Coordinates of all heavy atoms in Angstrom, one line a residue:
Chain B
M1 N -32.1 4.2 36.2 CA -31.5 4.5 34.9 C -32.0 3.6 33.8 O -32.2 4.0 32.7 CB -30.0 4.4 35.0 CG -29.3 5.7 35.6 SD -29.4 7.1 34.5 CE -30.6 8.1 35.4
H27 N -10.7 -21.3 24.8 CA -12.1 -20.9 25.1 C -12.1 -19.4 25.5 O -11.9 -19.0 26.6 CB -12.5 -21.8 26.4 CG -13.9 -22.1 26.4 ND1 -14.5 -23.1 27.0 CD2 -15.0 -21.4 25.8 CE1 -15.8 -23.1 26.9 NE2 -16.1 -22.1 26.1
G46 N -11.0 -6.3 32.6 CA -10.5 -7.6 32.9 C -9.1 -7.7 32.4 O -8.7 -7.0 31.5
R57 N -16.2 -7.9 19.3 CA -16.2 -8.4 17.9 C -17.4 -9.3 17.5 O -17.9 -9.3 16.4 CB -14.9 -9.1 17.5 CG -13.7 -8.1 17.5 CD -12.4 -8.8 17.3 NE -12.3 -9.5 16.0 CZ -12.0 -9.0 14.9 NH1 -11.6 -7.7 14.8 NH2 -11.9 -9.7 13.8
S76 N -30.1 -10.4 14.3 CA -28.8 -11.1 14.3 C -27.7 -10.0 14.2 O -27.9 -9.0 13.5 CB -28.7 -12.1 13.2 OG -28.5 -11.5 12.0
K106 N -15.0 11.2 6.2 CA -16.0 11.1 5.2 C -16.1 9.6 4.6 O -17.2 9.3 4.0 CB -15.6 12.0 4.0 CG -16.8 12.6 3.3 CD -16.3 13.3 2.0 CE -15.5 14.5 2.3 NZ -15.0 15.1 1.0
E131 N -13.3 18.3 18.6 CA -12.4 19.4 18.7 C -11.2 19.3 17.7 O -10.1 19.5 18.1 CB -11.9 19.6 20.1 CG -13.0 19.9 21.1 CD -12.5 20.2 22.5 OE1 -11.3 20.2 22.7 OE2 -13.4 20.4 23.4
P140 N -3.1 12.4 8.4 CA -2.9 11.8 9.7 C -1.5 11.9 10.3 O -1.4 12.2 11.5 CB -3.2 10.3 9.4 CG -4.2 10.3 8.3 CD -3.8 11.5 7.4
S144 N -1.0 14.4 16.3 CA -0.5 13.5 17.4 C -1.3 12.3 17.5 O -2.4 12.2 17.0 CB -0.5 14.3 18.7 OG -1.9 14.4 19.1
A161 N -25.4 5.7 13.6 CA -25.5 4.5 14.3 C -25.8 4.8 15.8 O -25.2 5.6 16.3 CB -24.3 3.7 14.2
L164 N -22.3 2.5 19.8 CA -20.9 2.8 19.6 C -20.0 1.8 20.3 O -20.2 1.6 21.5 CB -20.6 4.2 20.1 CG -19.2 4.8 19.8 CD1 -18.9 4.9 18.3 CD2 -19.1 6.3 20.4
I227 N -21.7 -4.7 37.6 CA -22.0 -3.6 38.6 C -22.8 -2.5 37.9 O -22.3 -1.9 37.0 CB -20.6 -3.1 39.2 CG1 -19.8 -4.2 39.7 CG2 -20.9 -2.0 40.2 CD1 -18.3 -3.8 39.9
D263 N -7.5 -18.8 39.2 CA -6.5 -19.5 38.3 C -5.9 -20.7 38.9 O -5.3 -20.6 40.0 CB -5.5 -18.5 37.9 CG -5.9 -17.7 36.7 OD1 -7.1 -17.9 36.3 OD2 -5.2 -16.8 36.2

Side-chain angles (χ1 to χ4, degrees):
Chain B
M1 278 291 107
H27 211 157
R57 288 174 62 85
S76 72
K106 213 190 294 173
E131 300 184 359
S144 73
L164 188 56
I227 305 164
D263 276 1

